[in-house]
Amino acid sequence: MNEKEGPMNMNVTPPVEPVTEFEVPLPPDRKRPKWLVPLIAGGTAVVVLAAVGTGGYLYWNHNQLTAASEECATSYDKAVKAQKKLTEYLESDALKTAVTVKDSEVKDAKTVAVLTSTVKTAEKTKTTIPECPSGNLTDIKAMTKEIDGLATAYSRTVSEVKGKAEAVNGSKLDKIVADATKILNDSKGRVKDDKTRTVLENAIKTKDEKAISDAVKAVNDSIKAKSDADAKAKAEKAKQTAEDTAQTSGNDSGSAGDTGGGYTGYTGGGYTQSQGGGYTYTPQQSTGGSTGGGYTPTPQPQPQQPSQGGGNGGGSTGGDDGYENMCFAYPTDGSPAIQVPCS
């Protein structure tokens, strides 16, 4: 050693090693205890797990929101379709036809009133469907439940209205069948073509409204055809009877008035007293007929008072004036005259 340099400075500080994130610096003259190393490692693990737990929760929450939003969207689409289906049915021709059916056209009039009331209620249920919220899991789930309820209500309403409409149509068909059956029974023996009744009977069995309607028309037409034919035949028969009666009357006109086969009577025939005291014969005119045969005398005028001095042998007795009234009738077959009463 160089004496001039002097002794070595023993207080020089050695270089310090860099301290890591998890190491605790110790004085240079001390050693790290063995138990400290595991403790530091455990703390590191806790920090790591905490970080992982926070990230996992956020990831799980994100997935829950996504799934809930997708479920709400599905429910919304379902509700929209159900509402559209209800709207379409309320505007359909099938429902409009059922609604216009009258009480007199169905067997049970109550079905018409129930359908009308149901349709009015259904038209009021077409409310606006709310949209799904975002950002809050609880709100999304609550809205999904509400939307599902609307979808169910729309579907149920469609089924209910359809059921009431079908009840009206069914009651209408029941009346059609009942009326057709009555026509079938009443038309027996009254149709011109009995085949039309067979067609109607088969149509009733099928309960096809159009087939029944067509068959009923055919039966009614056949009834009218027979009725017209019967009326025509009756009119022709009456006309023929009238002609026959007129012809018979014409043939009997030559012997009209003679219903007993006797003689033609006379009126006004007999004798009248002459100025000379005798009688003059006046022929009796035929009346053109008789009533039961024989003769019909006509009273003659009273004879004139005879002149003084008597007549020429034509006097008679029995009267106040000295004369007897006498009337005679001559048959047309040449037989002798017959005395008859003058009154």
Side-chain angles (χ1 to χ4, degrees):
M1 177 182 299
N2 190 345
E3 295 179 357
K4 293 181 178 180
E5 292 178 359
M8 180 179 300
N9 186 4
M10 299 299 295
N11 293 325
V12 176
T13 302
V16 179
E17 295 181 2
V19 178
T20 64
E21 180 180 0
F22 301 106
E23 292 181 350
V24 179
L26 297 175
D29 57 345
R30 296 183 58 184
K31 293 183 179 180
R32 181 177 291 113
K34 293 182 179 180
W35 55 267
L36 184 59
V37 175
L39 179 61
I40 294 174
T44 303
V46 172
V47 174
V48 172
L49 289 176
V52 171
T54 302
Y57 171 78
L58 294 175
Y59 179 79
W60 174 84
N61 188 57
H62 173 75
N63 288 343
Q64 289 292 310
L65 287 173
T66 301
S69 296
E70 291 177 354
E71 182 180 356
C72 186
T74 301
S75 298
Y76 180 84
D77 292 340
K78 183 179 179 180
V80 170
K81 291 179 180 179
Q83 186 187 57
K84 182 179 179 181
K85 188 175 182 180
L86 174 60
T87 301
E88 290 176 349
Y89 184 72
L90 290 176
E91 296 175 354
S92 66
D93 293 337
L95 181 61
K96 290 179 180 179
T97 300
V99 170
T100 57
V101 174
K102 300 178 181 178
D103 294 352
S104 59
E105 297 176 330
V106 295
K107 194 171 184 180
D108 184 3
K110 293 181 180 179
T111 57
V112 176
V114 172
L115 174 61
T116 302
S117 176
T118 304
V119 170
K120 289 182 179 179
T121 301
E123 291 175 344
K124 296 178 181 179
T125 62
K126 296 188 300 180
T127 57
T128 302
I129 302 174
E131 296 184 357
C132 298
S134 60
N136 188 298
L137 184 61
T138 302
D139 293 344
I140 294 175
K141 288 185 176 182
M143 185 58 68
T144 301
K145 185 176 181 180
E146 181 180 346
I147 294 174
D148 284 338
L150 289 174
T152 301
Y154 291 142
S155 299
R156 183 175 59 249
T157 302
V158 171
S159 299
E160 185 177 2
V161 176
K162 277 187 176 182
K164 301 306 185 228
E166 290 173 357
V168 170
N169 293 332
S171 185
K172 180 181 178 182
L173 181 59
D174 289 343
K175 188 174 189 305
I176 290 174
V177 170
D179 292 346
T181 301
K182 187 176 186 303
I183 291 174
L184 177 65
N185 296 333
D186 294 345
S187 64
K188 186 175 182 179
R190 296 174 54 204
V191 293
K192 188 174 183 180
D193 183 4
D194 201 59
K195 291 180 181 179
T196 57
R197 296 182 68 252
T198 302
V199 173
L200 176 57
E201 184 178 9
N202 294 332
I204 292 174
K205 292 178 181 179
T206 62
K207 292 188 176 181
D208 185 296
E209 184 175 344
K210 187 178 185 306
I212 293 175
S213 178
D214 293 342
V216 166
K217 183 179 183 303
V219 169
N220 287 334
D221 290 344
S222 187
I223 291 175
K224 186 177 185 302
K226 186 177 186 305
S227 178
D228 292 345
D230 292 346
K232 183 178 180 181
K234 185 177 180 180
E236 290 178 351
K237 183 177 180 180
K239 180 180 179 182
Q240 185 64 43
T241 300
E243 291 177 352
D244 292 344
T245 301
Q247 184 177 1
T248 301
S249 299
N251 293 336
D252 294 342
S253 62
S255 59
D258 183 6
T259 60
Y263 297 94
T264 301
Y266 292 85
T267 59
Y271 293 85
T272 57
Q273 188 176 20
S274 63
Q275 293 293 335
Y279 292 90
T280 302
Y281 173 72
T282 302
Q284 184 177 0
Q285 299 298 322
S286 173
T287 62
S290 65
T291 57
Y295 303 91
T296 304
T298 301
Q300 300 298 320
Q302 295 295 326
Q304 297 178 0
Q305 185 69 25
S307 59
Q308 297 294 330
N312 55 0
S316 63
T317 63
D320 295 339
D321 55 0
Y323 294 94
E324 182 180 3
N325 297 328
M326 301 178 64
C327 296
F328 294 85
Y330 285 80
T332 59
D333 59 353
S335 299
I338 301 173
Q339 183 177 353
V340 296
C342 294
S343 58

